[in-house]
Amino acid sequence: FSYTHFVPAIILKMETKSCIPFNDKFLQSDFLTADSGLFRINSSNNNSMLIDFYYVGCSACESKFVFLDSLKKAGNGNLDIYRICNGQITSFEGFRKDVKSRKSGLNFLFDHKGSIAKNFEHLDRYPYEYLLKPSGEMIGCRVGFSESTLSAYFNELKDYLK
């Protein structure tokens, strides 16, 4: 079993049937920011949330970063995007160096307590994304990323940017 699998050229439509169930206890987890501060995801601000699990060195995750950053800039503040780095794959120093090298408005968080592994037991493909309603209820999930389907991905998410 390996945590380092990723799906480099597949982007699935947002779905619910084959999703690893979203455990809302995950939203009560503390994460580290690149500045070593503690951060907890705020699910009470009436915004939809996109939670994207990744690790440093994943090529599909890297490609997705550019898109998510553009998506954040195109929105009007109604979609909170959290990129959560798996601390069982990436070191904190690797995470910090990666985040500091970027100029981005995204929320980059580091899973230093293994919350991903504890709450999403079979998550072994990256990037892995959940889209949640402001209440924390799961709308769907998506595995992988492909630049060839960016417009379809954007069109699917644009309703959450209004």
Side-chain angles (χ1 to χ4, degrees), residues 15-74:
E15 59 169 276
T16 56
K17 290 180 182 175
S18 65
C19 292
I20 297 169
F22 188 81
N23 184 343
D24 20 346
K25 290 180 183 176
F26 181 75
L27 295 176
Q28 299 166 8
S29 301
D30 290 324
F31 302 97
L32 290 177
T33 64
D35 296 324
S36 300
L38 285 178
F39 186 92
R40 185 170 288 177
I41 295 172
N42 180 1
S43 62
S44 62
N45 65 3
N46 294 323
N47 287 349
S48 296
M49 294 174 280
L50 190 150
I51 297 176
D52 186 55
F53 299 123
Y54 80 105
Y55 66 92
V56 174
C58 163
S59 61
C61 303
E62 180 66 26
S63 297
K64 190 173 184 182
F65 161 75
V66 176
F67 172 73
L68 290 177
D69 195 47
S70 299
L71 183 67
K72 176 73 173 170
K73 291 174 185 171

Side-chain angles (χ1 to χ4, degrees), residues 1 3 20-27 29 31 51 53 84 86 111 114-124 126 128 130 132 138:
F1 180 77
Y3 285 104
I20 297 169
F22 188 81
N23 184 343
D24 20 346
K25 290 180 183 176
F26 181 75
L27 295 176
S29 301
F31 302 97
I51 297 176
F53 299 123
I84 302 177
N86 188 327
D111 180 16
S115 297
I116 294 171
K118 289 176 192 167
N119 291 287
F120 305 99
E121 185 177 338
H122 300 289
L123 195 149
D124 63 354
Y126 292 86
Y128 199 99
Y130 286 99
L132 307 174
M138 183 180 71

